[in-house]
Amino acid sequence: MDKIVINGGNRLKGKVKISGAKNSALPILASTLLAPGVSVIRNVPGLRDVDTMMRILRSLGARISRRHTEIVVDTTDVRSFTAPYELVSTMRASICVLGPLLGRFGKANVSHPGGCVIGPRPIDLHIKGLRKLGAEITIERGYIVARAGELKGSEIFLGGAFGSTVLGTANCMMAASLAKGVTTIENAACEPEIVDLAAFLGKMGARIEGAGTHMVRIEGVNELKGAEHTIIPDRIEAGTYMIAGAITEGDILIEGAIFEHLQAAVDKLEEAGVRILREGNGIKVDVENGLKAIDVTTMPYPGFPTDMQAQILTLMLVTDGISIITERIYPDRFMHVSELLRMGASIIREGSRLVVKGGANLSGAPVMASDLRASASLVLAGLVAEGETEVSRVYHLDRGYERIDEKLRGLGADIKRIKS
Ligand code: EPU
């Protein structure tokens, strides 16, 4: 297994280019299943999760080719509607083939994704929404077995204890696009990735209004066709580099980052003393007068994203003062904490809250990545720690960050990947 070795202390400077958004690419690739024909998806990041989605689509009968960041999917010969355990168990986002398979074939067998290291991850809202469209859904031998004679438009409410659901909204939007009549999704997720999916579905011939608000209206159509689309830039990757620039008191330009997608992060970083400017086609980050403690609560979009919680923690470690994190989406998403403690961090956990005493001198250590965003926080901590940090189990990082070692090296970090 590859390792990443970082010698901390370098100030980051220069430009970094943001890749396409993982969390847009995955449901958009899945949605190509809705129609027979060829779709061309551009700006697709080179990530392990994207490879997994391509394997799932191939296992269903799709033909796929990839040239750099462009993926061509031909779904004409898709005959299977079973997404197997071996693939789904490696990536929870595989659940987003459920809606398109049900929409196109009236049947889908998708392995139940279960929980994951960031905590329990129920799919009750996906099931509730698809049942409202007329699907019969049972759980059999670890599989979600969904059947529908004809899907019918309906009124769906997608609220749960932790707010809406991103992939649940995606699944309902995709299935409802081929349902008879009008569907409304209330309390829909508003994430930019949902807007991007709706844009692609629109190009396929779907009639969707309101994506990006809490009320999405879908008028079902009889058929969809393949389409071409360019994936939006990854706001979480951009936010991670913003934090890398901030904690190293660097001066970096994050090319391609969309400011409007990052307002909660911009707001918190500014409060911490980071100077953030829109510049050309990107965001410029630098620090003039040191960093201050901040409090952050994760929330659904447009709130501060849970997918940046682990990374903003590293900023809290290098500021003077007490900071607090409240995790409102995944109350147990704190695997990074014990590894950061090994680097000298001072963090107390109280339920879904972290109290962080900043200003400690972090010291490099061998640490182990346990999930994607946790891994990113360990790399960030390594950038500011004294001496050498060795992050193992880098495959987690490769699920969601395209060439992170190369990109950070381009900004002046002393970082290398050791291939096993
Ligand atoms: N939830 C339910 N019932 C459901 C579905 C979700 O109670 O049926 C709860 C979850 O347990 C959680 C909250 O609702 O507390 C939000 O979960 P959501 O369904 O929105 O998550 P997701 O769609 O499975 C996507 C991203 C995650 C990101 C979350 C929240 C993709 C592929 N994944 O997951 O990204 O954390 O939204 O923003 O889009 C990551 O990229 O590292 C990552 C984990």
Side-chain angles (χ1 to χ4, degrees):
M1 275 186 265
D2 292 2
K3 284 180 183 165
I4 283 186
V5 178
I6 308 153
N7 266 295
N10 288 8
R11 188 170 171 257
L12 300 191
K13 276 200 298 207
K15 293 179 188 171
V16 61
K17 178 136 187 5
I18 296 309
S19 302
K22 165 179 86 78
N23 291 347
S24 257
L26 297 175
I28 285 177
L29 285 169
S31 71
T32 62
L33 290 167
L34 278 165
V38 176
S39 289
V40 181
I41 316 295
R42 303 201 171 88
N43 200 30
V44 182
L47 300 172
R48 254 168 50 102
D49 276 6
V50 169
D51 294 342
T52 305
M53 183 53 79
M54 293 201 296
R55 284 217 299 280
I56 292 177
L57 296 181
R58 281 198 185 103
S59 79
L60 295 168
R63 271 174 293 160
I64 306 184
S65 60
R66 175 169 194 146
R67 229 180 115 247
H68 308 298
T69 60
E70 182 178 288
I71 293 186
V72 179
V73 189
D74 184 349
T75 54
T76 309
D77 294 329
V78 170
R79 301 274 180 265
S80 167
F81 43 86
T82 299
Y85 174 73
E86 301 74 61
L87 293 173
V88 175
S89 60
T90 64
M91 183 181 72
R92 199 186 174 279
S94 319
I95 187 71
C96 56
V97 299
L98 180 60
L101 288 174
L102 191 62
R104 175 160 160 202
F105 299 106
K107 32 192 170 183
N109 299 342
V110 178
S111 178
H112 194 303
C116 71
V117 282
I118 68 177
R121 297 188 66 184
I123 50 160
D124 55 312
L125 297 173
H126 300 237
I127 293 178
K128 175 176 137 182
L130 296 173
R131 278 191 178 138
K132 275 279 200 166
L133 295 174
E136 278 179 25
I137 302 183
T138 51
I139 307 294
E140 293 173 26
R141 296 185 55 78
Y143 277 73
I144 306 155
V145 177
R147 296 287 180 272
E150 180 183 63
L151 292 176
K152 290 199 182 68
S154 179
E155 289 170 2
I156 300 173
F157 180 79
L158 281 186
F162 299 98
S164 188
T165 161
V166 179
L167 292 179
T169 302
N171 262 330
C172 291
M173 263 172 32
M174 293 187 278
S177 294
L178 286 175
K180 204 170 174 58
V182 172
T183 298
T184 53
I185 306 175
E186 272 199 66
N187 208 39
C190 304
E191 271 68 4
E193 294 76 19
I194 291 293
V195 178
D196 205 25
L197 171 64
F200 177 63
L201 293 173
K203 292 172 187 170
M204 293 181 87
R207 295 197 189 135
I208 301 177
E209 288 168 14
T213 73
H214 285 302
M215 166 71 99
V216 178
R217 182 179 185 279
I218 305 128
E219 195 183 323
V221 295
N222 289 334
E223 56 175 25
L224 298 167
K225 56 182 191 319
E228 298 193 12
H229 187 71
T230 301
I231 301 285
I232 56 170
D234 194 309
R235 65 192 166 101
I236 305 298
E237 188 196 20
T240 303
Y241 286 105
M242 284 165 70
I243 294 172
I247 57 176
T248 61
E249 305 212 349
D251 183 352
I252 66 174
L253 177 66
I254 301 160
E255 288 183 322
I258 298 180
F259 195 88
E260 288 70 23
H261 292 175
L262 281 153
Q263 292 207 335
V266 167
D267 184 59
K268 279 296 158 190
L269 289 172
E270 283 181 342
E271 196 182 319
V274 182
R275 200 161 61 153
I276 298 178
L277 297 169
R278 292 173 197 243
E279 199 173 288
N281 169 36
I283 298 179
K284 191 169 180 300
V285 172
D286 68 15
V287 178
E288 262 188 338
N289 299 316
L291 295 168
K292 295 192 280 285
I294 46 170
D295 293 344
V296 168
T297 300
T298 65
M299 278 187 272
Y301 188 83
F304 191 91
T306 174
D307 292 343
M308 278 181 64
Q309 177 255 109
Q311 301 90 310
I312 199 80
L313 173 57
T314 62
L315 181 138
M316 295 173 173
L317 297 176
V318 300
T319 64
D320 281 328
I322 306 280
S323 294
I324 293 176
I325 287 185
T326 308
E327 174 55 68
R328 285 255 169 87
I329 309 292
Y330 297 114
D332 288 323
R333 193 178 203 179
F334 292 127
M335 293 75 55
H336 41 293
V337 170
S338 50
E339 296 302 284
L340 292 170
L341 292 178
R342 299 191 60 248
M343 297 176 75
S346 175
I347 305 168
I348 296 169
R349 178 176 170 187
E350 289 169 350
S352 59
R353 188 162 287 170
L354 300 179
V355 181
V356 185
K357 191 163 162 224
N361 286 326
L362 296 180
S363 84
V367 285
M368 200 178 282
S370 52
D371 104 304
L372 169 54
R373 308 302 172 189
S375 318
S377 78
L378 299 178
V379 170
L380 292 177
L383 294 176
V384 285
E386 208 179 300
E388 187 175 281
T389 297
E390 189 181 285
V391 182
S392 52
R393 298 199 180 162
V394 170
Y395 57 88
H396 288 294
L397 215 48
D398 294 335
R399 287 188 46 208
Y401 288 93
E402 190 173 51
R403 298 178 288 105
I404 190 170
D405 46 325
E406 267 178 65
K407 289 191 184 185
L408 285 171
R409 205 162 42 245
L411 290 170
D414 181 347
I415 179 170
K416 62 181 181 235
R417 177 182 289 249
I418 300 179
K419 297 254 181 208
S420 55

